Amino acid sequence: MTRFEDKELTRNDFLGGRVRLLQPEAGYRAGVDPVFLAASVPARTGQSVLELGCGAGAAILCLSARVPGLKLTGVELQPAYADLARRNAEMNGVDLDLVEADLTALPTAIRQRQFDHVIANPPYYRAGAHSRANDTGRSIALGEDTPLQDWISVAAKRLAPQGYLHMIQKADRLPDMIVACTGRLGSVEVLPLSARTGREAELVILRARKGGRAAFRLHGPLILHKGERHETDGESYTEQVSAVLRQAAPLPRF
């Protein structure tokens, strides 16, 4: 498939309506994870950002909504999602250079550039570790075909000196990420994301710097929801997290 038909798509609001996103009704759909990823990046106006595996553009468009004037480039393997990213960028009035390519075989024009920030939300599951979805696009988005080490290796090569990688992943992949950073990126920081107080973190955001020499830093977990359990209908996000998701605030304490 090279393009989704309009009847196959839904239109969803992110960041309190600051970002509108066309998404496949039956394919891979972005949730809050790319919003958290975008909120973790300390980008400044005028800097350059590369997203590896940008999908329909949720993360990079949310970052653009929070920090205007960025130079944005997205790489996406699947033609239909690359087309969606282009359409979503246009719909949101964002200048996005979208490259349809495998991240391990980037075109020369990208390999000749360096970026202040690289962001990525790679597939969460190791090859063979999850049941294959009937939807091919969703299967590719969720299941690892390109090793996680390759994602970080490519990111490191594309970063400018002192540039930052930000990556969101399942917590059990943290050892893989740290090993992949060794010899490539330093000043590694990790922010765990925990659904509620007292629960194990399901996700982590990793920040690493090209040429960084600071000691490893493990932040206290960001608690997403109020209370020890879900007790009422509707959302139960903490005020800090709600500000990130609805008001385009940066992640607190990171």
Side-chain angles (χ1 to χ4, degrees):
M1 179 188 294
T2 59
R3 183 181 174 89
F4 289 105
E5 300 294 332
D6 288 346
K7 64 183 180 180
E8 299 176 291
L9 301 173
T10 63
R11 181 176 297 188
N12 305 103
D13 287 344
F14 289 76
L15 301 181
R18 292 170 177 82
V19 173
R20 295 170 296 160
L21 203 72
L22 296 173
Q23 302 194 88
E25 188 170 21
Y28 173 76
R29 297 174 59 81
V32 298
D33 299 2
V35 184
F36 288 133
L37 175 62
S40 73
V41 183
R44 301 189 305 273
T45 296
Q47 289 188 320
S48 56
V49 181
L50 170 66
E51 182 174 9
L52 299 175
C54 68
I60 203 163
L61 294 178
C62 285
L63 177 56
S64 176
R66 180 170 62 84
V67 186
L70 295 172
K71 301 169 186 176
L72 305 173
T73 302
V75 172
E76 173 53 40
L77 171 65
Q78 301 187 72
Y81 286 87
D83 176 71
L84 267 189
R86 293 188 189 97
R87 294 168 65 182
N88 284 328
E90 182 178 357
M91 184 170 64
N92 286 276
V94 174
D95 185 8
L96 173 64
D97 179 15
L98 199 289
V99 179
E100 186 181 315
D102 188 320
L103 65 91
T104 62
L106 294 175
T108 302
I110 298 297
R111 288 188 281 111
Q112 291 178 338
R113 296 175 61 188
Q114 290 186 310
F115 298 83
D116 297 303
H117 301 275
V118 175
I119 64 175
N121 180 185
Y124 284 162
Y125 300 99
R126 295 180 179 87
H130 79 300
S131 58
R132 304 296 287 185
N134 291 330
D135 181 88
T136 301
R138 180 175 171 82
S139 292
I140 293 174
L142 293 177
E144 179 180 88
D145 287 322
T146 300
L148 190 54
Q149 180 170 322
D150 288 352
W151 287 75
I152 291 179
S153 176
V154 171
K157 291 176 182 176
R158 299 280 58 80
L159 280 171
Q162 303 303 310
Y164 286 100
L165 165 68
H166 287 80
M167 178 177 286
I168 188 167
Q169 252 294 349
K170 286 176 63 65
D172 65 0
R173 304 302 305 275
L174 179 57
D176 299 332
M177 289 192 287
I178 292 175
V179 169
C181 285
T182 302
R184 296 185 177 97
L185 301 170
S187 300
V188 175
E189 301 179 51
V190 175
L191 176 67
L193 305 180
S194 181
R196 298 183 188 276
T197 300
R199 294 193 185 179
E200 293 183 0
E202 296 181 4
L203 298 173
V204 294
I205 297 176
L206 176 139
R207 172 187 291 159
R209 194 171 197 183
K210 189 166 185 175
R213 298 183 179 276
F216 174 78
R217 186 177 181 187
L218 178 62
H219 293 263
L222 177 66
I223 307 301
L224 305 186
H225 298 278
K226 302 173 184 175
E228 296 181 358
R229 62 183 64 86
H230 187 72
E231 296 180 339
T232 61
D233 292 337
E235 294 182 352
S236 60
Y237 291 118
T238 66
E239 292 181 5
Q240 287 182 324
V241 170
S242 182
V244 169
L245 298 178
R246 306 291 177 242
Q247 301 169 31
L251 276 184
R253 301 180 289 103
F254 189 58

